[in-house]
PDB file of all heavy atoms in Angstrom:
ATOM      1  N   SER A   2     -43.604   2.514 108.675  1.00  0.00           N
ATOM      2  CA  SER A   2     -43.757   3.932 108.378  1.00  0.00           C
ATOM      3  C   SER A   2     -44.027   4.126 106.884  1.00  0.00           C
ATOM      4  O   SER A   2     -43.388   3.498 106.045  1.00  0.00           O
ATOM      5  CB  SER A   2     -42.480   4.663 108.783  1.00  0.00           C
ATOM      6  OG  SER A   2     -42.522   5.981 108.337  1.00  0.00           O
ATOM      7  N   TYR A   3     -44.956   4.997 106.583  1.00  0.00           N
ATOM      8  CA  TYR A   3     -45.287   5.303 105.189  1.00  0.00           C
ATOM      9  C   TYR A   3     -45.017   6.774 104.915  1.00  0.00           C
ATOM     10  O   TYR A   3     -45.212   7.624 105.782  1.00  0.00           O
ATOM     11  CB  TYR A   3     -46.763   5.002 104.897  1.00  0.00           C
ATOM     12  CG  TYR A   3     -47.109   3.551 104.985  1.00  0.00           C
ATOM     13  CD1 TYR A   3     -47.666   3.013 106.141  1.00  0.00           C
ATOM     14  CD2 TYR A   3     -46.872   2.711 103.905  1.00  0.00           C
ATOM     15  CE1 TYR A   3     -47.983   1.673 106.225  1.00  0.00           C
ATOM     16  CE2 TYR A   3     -47.181   1.365 103.980  1.00  0.00           C
ATOM     17  CZ  TYR A   3     -47.733   0.852 105.142  1.00  0.00           C
ATOM     18  OH  TYR A   3     -48.038  -0.473 105.207  1.00  0.00           O
ATOM     19  N   THR A   5     -45.889   9.924 102.115  1.00  0.00           N
ATOM     20  CA  THR A   5     -46.831  10.324 101.079  1.00  0.00           C
ATOM     21  C   THR A   5     -46.078  11.042  99.978  1.00  0.00           C
ATOM     22  O   THR A   5     -45.355  11.998 100.231  1.00  0.00           O
ATOM     23  CB  THR A   5     -47.908  11.254 101.660  1.00  0.00           C
ATOM     24  OG1 THR A   5     -48.564  10.574 102.723  1.00  0.00           O
ATOM     25  CG2 THR A   5     -48.912  11.655 100.602  1.00  0.00           C
ATOM     26  N   GLU A   6     -46.235  10.557  98.775  1.00  0.00           N
ATOM     27  CA  GLU A   6     -45.640  11.213  97.611  1.00  0.00           C
ATOM     28  C   GLU A   6     -46.671  12.139  96.987  1.00  0.00           C
ATOM     29  O   GLU A   6     -47.857  11.831  96.953  1.00  0.00           O
ATOM     30  CB  GLU A   6     -45.187  10.177  96.566  1.00  0.00           C
ATOM     31  CG  GLU A   6     -44.129   9.219  97.041  1.00  0.00           C
ATOM     32  CD  GLU A   6     -42.761   9.856  97.209  1.00  0.00           C
ATOM     33  OE1 GLU A   6     -42.552  10.993  96.743  1.00  0.00           O
ATOM     34  OE2 GLU A   6     -41.912   9.209  97.824  1.00  0.00           O
ATOM     35  N   VAL A  10     -48.169  14.574  86.871  1.00  0.00           N
ATOM     36  CA  VAL A  10     -47.842  14.107  85.520  1.00  0.00           C
ATOM     37  C   VAL A  10     -48.267  15.205  84.544  1.00  0.00           C
ATOM     38  O   VAL A  10     -49.422  15.620  84.534  1.00  0.00           O
ATOM     39  CB  VAL A  10     -48.566  12.789  85.176  1.00  0.00           C
ATOM     40  CG1 VAL A  10     -48.239  12.345  83.760  1.00  0.00           C
ATOM     41  CG2 VAL A  10     -48.215  11.701  86.181  1.00  0.00           C
ATOM     42  N   SER A  12     -48.122  16.478  80.371  1.00  0.00           N
ATOM     43  CA  SER A  12     -47.875  16.021  78.999  1.00  0.00           C
ATOM     44  C   SER A  12     -48.484  16.999  78.005  1.00  0.00           C
ATOM     45  O   SER A  12     -49.255  17.881  78.369  1.00  0.00           O
ATOM     46  CB  SER A  12     -48.449  14.622  78.780  1.00  0.00           C
ATOM     47  OG  SER A  12     -49.854  14.645  78.905  1.00  0.00           O
ATOM     48  N   VAL A  16     -44.239  22.512  73.082  1.00  0.00           N
ATOM     49  CA  VAL A  16     -43.370  23.678  72.991  1.00  0.00           C
ATOM     50  C   VAL A  16     -42.750  23.724  71.591  1.00  0.00           C
ATOM     51  O   VAL A  16     -42.371  22.684  71.069  1.00  0.00           O
ATOM     52  CB  VAL A  16     -42.272  23.600  74.088  1.00  0.00           C
ATOM     53  CG1 VAL A  16     -41.297  24.746  73.952  1.00  0.00           C
ATOM     54  CG2 VAL A  16     -42.895  23.541  75.475  1.00  0.00           C
ATOM     55  N   PRO A  17     -42.680  24.835  70.913  1.00  0.00           N
ATOM     56  CA  PRO A  17     -42.882  26.212  71.348  1.00  0.00           C
ATOM     57  C   PRO A  17     -44.281  26.748  71.086  1.00  0.00           C
ATOM     58  O   PRO A  17     -44.481  27.955  71.066  1.00  0.00           O
ATOM     59  CB  PRO A  17     -41.851  26.974  70.509  1.00  0.00           C
ATOM     60  CG  PRO A  17     -41.850  26.258  69.212  1.00  0.00           C
ATOM     61  CD  PRO A  17     -42.046  24.802  69.583  1.00  0.00           C
ATOM     62  N   LYS A  21     -49.110  30.018  76.715  1.00  0.00           N
ATOM     63  CA  LYS A  21     -48.271  30.704  77.704  1.00  0.00           C
ATOM     64  C   LYS A  21     -49.018  30.949  79.017  1.00  0.00           C
ATOM     65  O   LYS A  21     -48.442  30.811  80.099  1.00  0.00           O
ATOM     66  CB  LYS A  21     -47.750  32.036  77.152  1.00  0.00           C
ATOM     67  CG  LYS A  21     -46.934  31.910  75.879  1.00  0.00           C
ATOM     68  CD  LYS A  21     -45.616  31.235  76.101  1.00  0.00           C
ATOM     69  CE  LYS A  21     -44.804  31.263  74.815  1.00  0.00           C
ATOM     70  NZ  LYS A  21     -43.670  30.395  74.814  1.00  0.00           N
ATOM     71  N   GLN A  24     -49.183  27.687  80.841  1.00  0.00           N
ATOM     72  CA  GLN A  24     -47.845  27.370  81.363  1.00  0.00           C
ATOM     73  C   GLN A  24     -47.583  28.135  82.658  1.00  0.00           C
ATOM     74  O   GLN A  24     -47.102  27.564  83.636  1.00  0.00           O
ATOM     75  CB  GLN A  24     -46.771  27.693  80.338  1.00  0.00           C
ATOM     76  CG  GLN A  24     -45.368  27.438  80.842  1.00  0.00           C
ATOM     77  CD  GLN A  24     -44.285  27.920  79.885  1.00  0.00           C
ATOM     78  OE1 GLN A  24     -44.564  28.334  78.775  1.00  0.00           O
ATOM     79  NE2 GLN A  24     -43.058  27.856  80.316  1.00  0.00           N
ATOM     80  N   GLU A  25     -47.894  29.420  82.679  1.00  0.00           N
ATOM     81  CA  GLU A  25     -47.697  30.219  83.892  1.00  0.00           C
ATOM     82  C   GLU A  25     -48.528  29.684  85.049  1.00  0.00           C
ATOM     83  O   GLU A  25     -48.051  29.604  86.185  1.00  0.00           O
ATOM     84  CB  GLU A  25     -48.084  31.677  83.635  1.00  0.00           C
ATOM     85  CG  GLU A  25     -47.069  32.481  82.893  1.00  0.00           C
ATOM     86  CD  GLU A  25     -47.513  33.924  82.700  1.00  0.00           C
ATOM     87  OE1 GLU A  25     -48.258  34.450  83.565  1.00  0.00           O
ATOM     88  OE2 GLU A  25     -47.123  34.513  81.694  1.00  0.00           O
ATOM     89  N   VAL A  27     -49.605  26.600  85.481  1.00  0.00           N
ATOM     90  CA  VAL A  27     -49.047  25.315  85.920  1.00  0.00           C
ATOM     91  C   VAL A  27     -47.848  25.550  86.820  1.00  0.00           C
ATOM     92  O   VAL A  27     -47.718  24.934  87.886  1.00  0.00           O
ATOM     93  CB  VAL A  27     -48.674  24.420  84.714  1.00  0.00           C
ATOM     94  CG1 VAL A  27     -47.807  23.247  85.146  1.00  0.00           C
ATOM     95  CG2 VAL A  27     -49.918  23.925  84.011  1.00  0.00           C
ATOM     96  N   ARG A  29     -47.116  28.190  88.623  1.00  0.00           N
ATOM     97  CA  ARG A  29     -47.579  28.735  89.910  1.00  0.00           C
ATOM     98  C   ARG A  29     -48.216  27.649  90.770  1.00  0.00           C
ATOM     99  O   ARG A  29     -48.004  27.596  91.985  1.00  0.00           O
ATOM    100  CB  ARG A  29     -48.550  29.891  89.670  1.00  0.00           C
ATOM    101  CG  ARG A  29     -47.802  31.130  89.192  1.00  0.00           C
ATOM    102  CD  ARG A  29     -48.657  32.299  88.785  1.00  0.00           C
ATOM    103  NE  ARG A  29     -49.832  32.525  89.585  1.00  0.00           N
ATOM    104  CZ  ARG A  29     -50.858  33.246  89.173  1.00  0.00           C
ATOM    105  NH1 ARG A  29     -50.848  33.806  87.975  1.00  0.00           N
ATOM    106  NH2 ARG A  29     -51.904  33.425  89.939  1.00  0.00           N
ATOM    107  N   TRP A  30     -49.000  26.778  90.149  1.00  0.00           N
ATOM    108  CA  TRP A  30     -49.633  25.688  90.888  1.00  0.00           C
ATOM    109  C   TRP A  30     -48.578  24.721  91.432  1.00  0.00           C
ATOM    110  O   TRP A  30     -48.667  24.275  92.576  1.00  0.00           O
ATOM    111  CB  TRP A  30     -50.639  24.954  90.000  1.00  0.00           C
ATOM    112  CG  TRP A  30     -51.307  23.838  90.726  1.00  0.00           C
ATOM    113  CD1 TRP A  30     -52.339  23.925  91.613  1.00  0.00           C
ATOM    114  CD2 TRP A  30     -50.963  22.458  90.651  1.00  0.00           C
ATOM    115  NE1 TRP A  30     -52.650  22.681  92.088  1.00  0.00           N
ATOM    116  CE2 TRP A  30     -51.827  21.761  91.512  1.00  0.00           C
ATOM    117  CE3 TRP A  30     -50.008  21.738  89.937  1.00  0.00           C
ATOM    118  CZ2 TRP A  30     -51.774  20.383  91.676  1.00  0.00           C
ATOM    119  CZ3 TRP A  30     -49.954  20.363  90.094  1.00  0.00           C
ATOM    120  CH2 TRP A  30     -50.829  19.708  90.958  1.00  0.00           C
ATOM    121  N   PRO A  36     -44.766  19.218  94.398  1.00  0.00           N
ATOM    122  CA  PRO A  36     -44.722  17.765  94.214  1.00  0.00           C
ATOM    123  C   PRO A  36     -43.357  17.189  94.565  1.00  0.00           C
ATOM    124  O   PRO A  36     -42.336  17.858  94.431  1.00  0.00           O
ATOM    125  CB  PRO A  36     -45.007  17.597  92.712  1.00  0.00           C
ATOM    126  CG  PRO A  36     -44.579  18.880  92.100  1.00  0.00           C
ATOM    127  CD  PRO A  36     -44.834  19.934  93.130  1.00  0.00           C
ATOM    128  N   ILE A  38     -42.527  14.304  93.104  1.00  0.00           N
ATOM    129  CA  ILE A  38     -42.179  13.681  91.823  1.00  0.00           C
ATOM    130  C   ILE A  38     -42.906  14.423  90.706  1.00  0.00           C
ATOM    131  O   ILE A  38     -44.113  14.651  90.790  1.00  0.00           O
ATOM    132  CB  ILE A  38     -42.570  12.188  91.795  1.00  0.00           C
ATOM    133  CG1 ILE A  38     -41.804  11.407  92.869  1.00  0.00           C
ATOM    134  CG2 ILE A  38     -42.318  11.585  90.410  1.00  0.00           C
ATOM    135  CD1 ILE A  38     -42.264   9.974  93.043  1.00  0.00           C
ATOM    136  N   ILE A  46     -42.215  18.608  73.357  1.00  0.00           N
ATOM    137  CA  ILE A  46     -41.685  19.425  72.261  1.00  0.00           C
ATOM    138  C   ILE A  46     -42.475  19.104  71.000  1.00  0.00           C
ATOM    139  O   ILE A  46     -42.827  17.956  70.735  1.00  0.00           O
ATOM    140  CB  ILE A  46     -40.168  19.182  72.075  1.00  0.00           C
ATOM    141  CG1 ILE A  46     -39.577  20.146  71.047  1.00  0.00           C
ATOM    142  CG2 ILE A  46     -39.869  17.755  71.714  1.00  0.00           C
ATOM    143  CD1 ILE A  46     -38.052  20.149  71.019  1.00  0.00           C
ATOM    144  N   PRO A  50     -40.241  21.018  62.753  1.00  0.00           N
ATOM    145  CA  PRO A  50     -39.406  20.776  61.568  1.00  0.00           C
ATOM    146  C   PRO A  50     -39.337  19.306  61.157  1.00  0.00           C
ATOM    147  O   PRO A  50     -39.045  18.996  60.009  1.00  0.00           O
ATOM    148  CB  PRO A  50     -38.014  21.271  61.991  1.00  0.00           C
ATOM    149  CG  PRO A  50     -38.275  22.249  63.070  1.00  0.00           C
ATOM    150  CD  PRO A  50     -39.477  21.700  63.806  1.00  0.00           C
ATOM    151  N   LEU A  51     -39.637  18.405  62.079  1.00  0.00           N
ATOM    152  CA  LEU A  51     -39.608  16.980  61.760  1.00  0.00           C
ATOM    153  C   LEU A  51     -40.991  16.403  61.496  1.00  0.00           C
ATOM    154  O   LEU A  51     -41.120  15.248  61.102  1.00  0.00           O
ATOM    155  CB  LEU A  51     -38.961  16.196  62.915  1.00  0.00           C
ATOM    156  CG  LEU A  51     -37.558  16.624  63.305  1.00  0.00           C
ATOM    157  CD1 LEU A  51     -37.083  15.794  64.489  1.00  0.00           C
ATOM    158  CD2 LEU A  51     -36.590  16.494  62.148  1.00  0.00           C
ATOM    159  N   THR A  53     -44.728  15.551  60.022  1.00  0.00           N
ATOM    160  CA  THR A  53     -45.387  15.351  58.731  1.00  0.00           C
ATOM    161  C   THR A  53     -46.794  15.932  58.757  1.00  0.00           C
ATOM    162  O   THR A  53     -47.540  15.838  57.797  1.00  0.00           O
ATOM    163  CB  THR A  53     -45.464  13.855  58.376  1.00  0.00           C
ATOM    164  OG1 THR A  53     -46.194  13.169  59.402  1.00  0.00           O
ATOM    165  CG2 THR A  53     -44.085  13.262  58.226  1.00  0.00           C
ATOM    166  N   PHE A  54     -47.171  16.555  59.873  1.00  0.00           N
ATOM    167  CA  PHE A  54     -48.492  17.136  60.039  1.00  0.00           C
ATOM    168  C   PHE A  54     -48.422  18.656  59.994  1.00  0.00           C
ATOM    169  O   PHE A  54     -47.393  19.256  60.274  1.00  0.00           O
ATOM    170  CB  PHE A  54     -49.102  16.707  61.381  1.00  0.00           C
ATOM    171  CG  PHE A  54     -49.221  15.227  61.526  1.00  0.00           C
ATOM    172  CD1 PHE A  54     -48.310  14.530  62.299  1.00  0.00           C
ATOM    173  CD2 PHE A  54     -50.210  14.526  60.872  1.00  0.00           C
ATOM    174  CE1 PHE A  54     -48.402  13.160  62.431  1.00  0.00           C
ATOM    175  CE2 PHE A  54     -50.308  13.156  60.992  1.00  0.00           C
ATOM    176  CZ  PHE A  54     -49.397  12.473  61.772  1.00  0.00           C
ATOM    177  N   ASP A  55     -49.527  19.296  59.686  1.00  0.00           N
ATOM    178  CA  ASP A  55     -49.694  20.751  59.753  1.00  0.00           C
ATOM    179  C   ASP A  55     -48.496  21.509  59.182  1.00  0.00           C
ATOM    180  O   ASP A  55     -47.735  22.138  59.902  1.00  0.00           O
ATOM    181  CB  ASP A  55     -49.939  21.173  61.198  1.00  0.00           C
ATOM    182  CG  ASP A  55     -50.358  22.641  61.294  1.00  0.00           C
ATOM    183  OD1 ASP A  55     -50.688  23.251  60.260  1.00  0.00           O
ATOM    184  OD2 ASP A  55     -50.337  23.168  62.407  1.00  0.00           O
ATOM    185  N   ARG A  56     -48.339  21.480  57.906  1.00  0.00           N
ATOM    186  CA  ARG A  56     -47.197  22.138  57.258  1.00  0.00           C
ATOM    187  C   ARG A  56     -47.473  23.612  56.986  1.00  0.00           C
ATOM    188  O   ARG A  56     -47.156  24.142  55.942  1.00  0.00           O
ATOM    189  CB  ARG A  56     -46.825  21.406  55.967  1.00  0.00           C
ATOM    190  CG  ARG A  56     -46.463  19.937  56.168  1.00  0.00           C
ATOM    191  CD  ARG A  56     -45.509  19.665  57.306  1.00  0.00           C
ATOM    192  NE  ARG A  56     -44.179  20.159  57.014  1.00  0.00           N
ATOM    193  CZ  ARG A  56     -43.168  20.166  57.871  1.00  0.00           C
ATOM    194  NH1 ARG A  56     -43.341  19.712  59.074  1.00  0.00           N
ATOM    195  NH2 ARG A  56     -42.005  20.629  57.529  1.00  0.00           N
ATOM    196  N   ARG A  61     -43.199  27.854  60.968  1.00  0.00           N
ATOM    197  CA  ARG A  61     -41.888  27.257  60.738  1.00  0.00           C
ATOM    198  C   ARG A  61     -40.798  27.867  61.608  1.00  0.00           C
ATOM    199  O   ARG A  61     -40.594  29.060  61.638  1.00  0.00           O
ATOM    200  CB  ARG A  61     -41.510  27.444  59.275  1.00  0.00           C
ATOM    201  CG  ARG A  61     -40.793  26.231  58.771  1.00  0.00           C
ATOM    202  CD  ARG A  61     -40.705  26.253  57.318  1.00  0.00           C
ATOM    203  NE  ARG A  61     -41.394  25.032  56.975  1.00  0.00           N
ATOM    204  CZ  ARG A  61     -41.659  24.623  55.802  1.00  0.00           C
ATOM    205  NH1 ARG A  61     -41.341  25.327  54.781  1.00  0.00           N
ATOM    206  NH2 ARG A  61     -42.265  23.501  55.609  1.00  0.00           N
ATOM    207  N   ASP A  63     -36.697  26.566  63.309  1.00  0.00           N
ATOM    208  CA  ASP A  63     -35.726  25.506  63.120  1.00  0.00           C
ATOM    209  C   ASP A  63     -35.683  24.624  64.367  1.00  0.00           C
ATOM    210  O   ASP A  63     -36.124  25.000  65.443  1.00  0.00           O
ATOM    211  CB  ASP A  63     -34.346  26.025  62.730  1.00  0.00           C
ATOM    212  CG  ASP A  63     -33.694  26.897  63.769  1.00  0.00           C
ATOM    213  OD1 ASP A  63     -33.785  26.558  64.971  1.00  0.00           O
ATOM    214  OD2 ASP A  63     -33.072  27.898  63.401  1.00  0.00           O
ATOM    215  N   ALA A  65     -33.319  23.592  66.339  1.00  0.00           N
ATOM    216  CA  ALA A  65     -32.547  24.071  67.489  1.00  0.00           C
ATOM    217  C   ALA A  65     -33.375  25.035  68.342  1.00  0.00           C
ATOM    218  O   ALA A  65     -33.326  24.979  69.573  1.00  0.00           O
ATOM    219  CB  ALA A  65     -31.260  24.740  67.020  1.00  0.00           C
ATOM    220  N   ALA A  70     -36.377  26.166  73.263  1.00  0.00           N
ATOM    221  CA  ALA A  70     -37.638  26.599  73.872  1.00  0.00           C
ATOM    222  C   ALA A  70     -38.156  25.538  74.838  1.00  0.00           C
ATOM    223  O   ALA A  70     -38.664  25.858  75.918  1.00  0.00           O
ATOM    224  CB  ALA A  70     -38.673  26.892  72.792  1.00  0.00           C
ATOM    225  N   GLN A  72     -36.301  23.289  76.424  1.00  0.00           N
ATOM    226  CA  GLN A  72     -35.386  23.291  77.571  1.00  0.00           C
ATOM    227  C   GLN A  72     -35.779  24.403  78.540  1.00  0.00           C
ATOM    228  O   GLN A  72     -35.824  24.200  79.755  1.00  0.00           O
ATOM    229  CB  GLN A  72     -33.959  23.468  77.101  1.00  0.00           C
ATOM    230  CG  GLN A  72     -32.935  23.407  78.210  1.00  0.00           C
ATOM    231  CD  GLN A  72     -31.523  23.581  77.672  1.00  0.00           C
ATOM    232  OE1 GLN A  72     -31.295  24.243  76.671  1.00  0.00           O
ATOM    233  NE2 GLN A  72     -30.582  22.966  78.352  1.00  0.00           N
ATOM    234  N   ASN A  76     -37.093  23.890  82.344  1.00  0.00           N
ATOM    235  CA  ASN A  76     -36.407  24.587  83.447  1.00  0.00           C
ATOM    236  C   ASN A  76     -37.379  25.385  84.294  1.00  0.00           C
ATOM    237  O   ASN A  76     -37.197  25.515  85.502  1.00  0.00           O
ATOM    238  CB  ASN A  76     -35.296  25.485  82.914  1.00  0.00           C
ATOM    239  CG  ASN A  76     -34.089  24.711  82.455  1.00  0.00           C
ATOM    240  OD1 ASN A  76     -33.861  23.577  82.873  1.00  0.00           O
ATOM    241  ND2 ASN A  76     -33.303  25.311  81.573  1.00  0.00           N
TER     242      ASN A  76
END
Side-chain angles (χ1 to χ4, degrees):
S2 171
Y3 294 97
T5 302
E6 298 288 348
V10 179
S12 64
V16 176
K21 301 291 185 193
Q24 178 187 353
E25 282 181 30
V27 167
R29 286 174 38 199
W30 180 79
I38 298 172
I46 187 169
L51 303 178
T53 59
F54 302 102
D55 190 13
R56 301 313 290 174
R61 218 167 239 176
D63 63 42
Q72 183 180 30
N76 286 338

